[in-house]
């Protein structure tokens, strides 16, 4: 089996993939900790032949994880943000400082769509742009839904936004403090995505596919007015593109790749942006 790990600052996700059929056999997630224990935090390593890792956690956490895995599995690959990879040129002045989860999302999206805007709705919301031809412009980072709520210190942090809520409900004025906080942070998140996408497309004179991933992507998706796709496995797909192990991966078939909707004409994006600026 192939073990893919996506180690975040808060949550660590894993999946097991069959190297022959490319099917996903199992998945799991645990809170990121200082020390991982076989059997408790990760699946049975006896069946694992290859490990691929994306990590934005503290270096000590990554080092401990790699050390543990190398005792049991010989083939361990750790993704790094680099100056150039798979046709994409990193837009950061110091490429290694770009979060590797963002880099993997950009790489996966570019393999799927060429130029793209990839949005990861996790602890932070990150928005990255890569133009047709592979030039990564850099991006934006803002607090995720949970972090925005915690920052208000109004005692509402434990009342989460219902992921099944409809966008119209979440965009209406709140009638109590919990609703007002939840609806406010939701408005802030989707407004940031809608506005930055339109601003960058206008400035670069290009319209791009928009792809969302991350734990809050499903609820955020409901409020994003632009055509877009959801790709829960986008970071894993970046690992597949960087370290292909199966015949399907070597052929460029990435896990869970969505069907992209038609992009809006640039003229329509500019008209919407001009309308918002004129108010």
């Amino acid at each position: 089996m192939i073990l893919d790990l996506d180690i975040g600052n808060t949550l660590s996700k894993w999946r097991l993939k069959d190297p022959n059929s490319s099917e996903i056999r199992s998945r799991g997630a645990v809170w990121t900790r200082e020390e991982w224990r076989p059997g408790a935090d990760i699946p049975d390593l006896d069946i694992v032949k290859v490990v691929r890792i994306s990590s934005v956690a503290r270096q000590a956490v990554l080092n401990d994880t790699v050390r543990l895995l190398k005792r049991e599995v010989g083939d361990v690959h750790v993704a790094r943000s680099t100056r150039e990879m798979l046709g994409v040129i990193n837009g950061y002045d110091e490429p290694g400082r770009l979060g590797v989860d963002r880099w993997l999302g950009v790489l996966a999206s570019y393999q799927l769509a060429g130029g793209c805007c990839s949005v990861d709705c996790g602890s932070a919301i990150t928005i990255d742009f890569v133009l047709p031809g592979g030039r990564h412009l850099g991006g934006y980072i803002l607090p995720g839904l949970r972090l925005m709520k915690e920052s208000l210190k109004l005692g509402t942090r434990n009342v989460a936004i219902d992921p099944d809520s409809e966008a119209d409900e979440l965009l209406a004025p709140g009638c109590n403090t919990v609703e007002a906080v939840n609806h406010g942070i939701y408005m802030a998140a989707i407004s940031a995505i809608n506005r930055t996408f339109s601003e960058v497309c206008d400035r670069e004179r290009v319209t791009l596919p928009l792809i969302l991933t991350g734990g809050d992507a499903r609820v955020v998706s409901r409020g994003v007015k632009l055509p877009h796709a959801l790709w829960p496995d986008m970071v894993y797909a970046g690992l597949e593109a960087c370290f292909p192990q199966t015949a399907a991966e070597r052929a460029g078939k990435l896990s869970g790749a969505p069907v992209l909707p038609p992009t809006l004409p640039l003229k329509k994006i500019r008209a919407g942006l001009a309308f918002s600026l004129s108010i």
Side-chain angles (χ1 to χ4, degrees), residues 111 247-254:
Q111 303 316 299
E249 291 171 358
R250 286 188 285 271
K253 297 178 181 178
L254 303 178

Side-chain angles (χ1 to χ4, degrees), residues 153-272:
K153 300 185 185 302
L154 294 176
T156 61
R157 60 181 296 178
N158 293 323
V159 185
I161 293 176
D162 182 352
D164 294 319
S165 297
E166 295 298 327
D168 288 347
E169 174 189 341
L170 290 173
L171 293 172
C175 295
N176 56 59
T177 299
V178 170
E179 284 187 358
V181 168
N182 283 346
H183 296 191
I185 62 177
Y186 186 75
M187 176 73 81
I190 64 169
S191 297
I193 294 169
N194 287 325
R195 183 62 175 269
T196 55
F197 179 87
S198 298
E199 291 272 8
V200 172
C201 286
D202 177 48
R203 185 173 64 245
E204 298 296 330
R205 299 175 181 173
V206 65
T207 183
L208 300 169
L210 175 60
I211 307 174
L212 274 61
T213 193
D216 289 324
R218 188 160 61 94
V219 66
V220 170
S221 168
R222 293 193 177 95
V224 174
K225 297 179 180 179
L226 303 154
H228 62 278
L230 287 172
W231 194 358
D233 274 2
M234 187 162 69
V235 173
Y236 288 141
L239 286 173
E240 293 173 346
C242 290
F243 310 110
Q245 300 294 321
T246 72
E249 291 171 358
R250 286 188 285 271
K253 297 178 181 178
L254 303 178
S255 290
V259 175
L260 298 175
T263 56
L264 286 177
L266 183 56
K267 183 178 180 180
K268 190 167 185 178
I269 292 174
R270 284 174 164 167

Side-chain angles (χ1 to χ4, degrees), residues 98-170:
L98 174 66
V100 71
D101 53 346
R102 292 172 60 194
W103 182 234
L104 291 171
V106 163
L107 293 177
S109 297
Y110 186 72
Q111 303 316 299
L112 178 66
C116 60
C117 173
S118 59
V119 180
D120 193 329
C121 305
S123 299
I125 295 174
T126 62
I127 309 170
D128 280 273
F129 293 86
V130 59
L131 297 179
R135 182 165 68 92
H136 173 233
L137 299 177
Y140 304 84
I141 302 175
L142 59 147
L145 301 182
R146 292 169 181 80
L147 283 179
M148 279 194 269
K149 183 182 294 188
E150 290 175 12
S151 72
L152 292 174
K153 300 185 185 302
L154 294 176
T156 61
R157 60 181 296 178
N158 293 323
V159 185
I161 293 176
D162 182 352
D164 294 319
S165 297
E166 295 298 327
D168 288 347
E169 174 189 341
L170 290 173

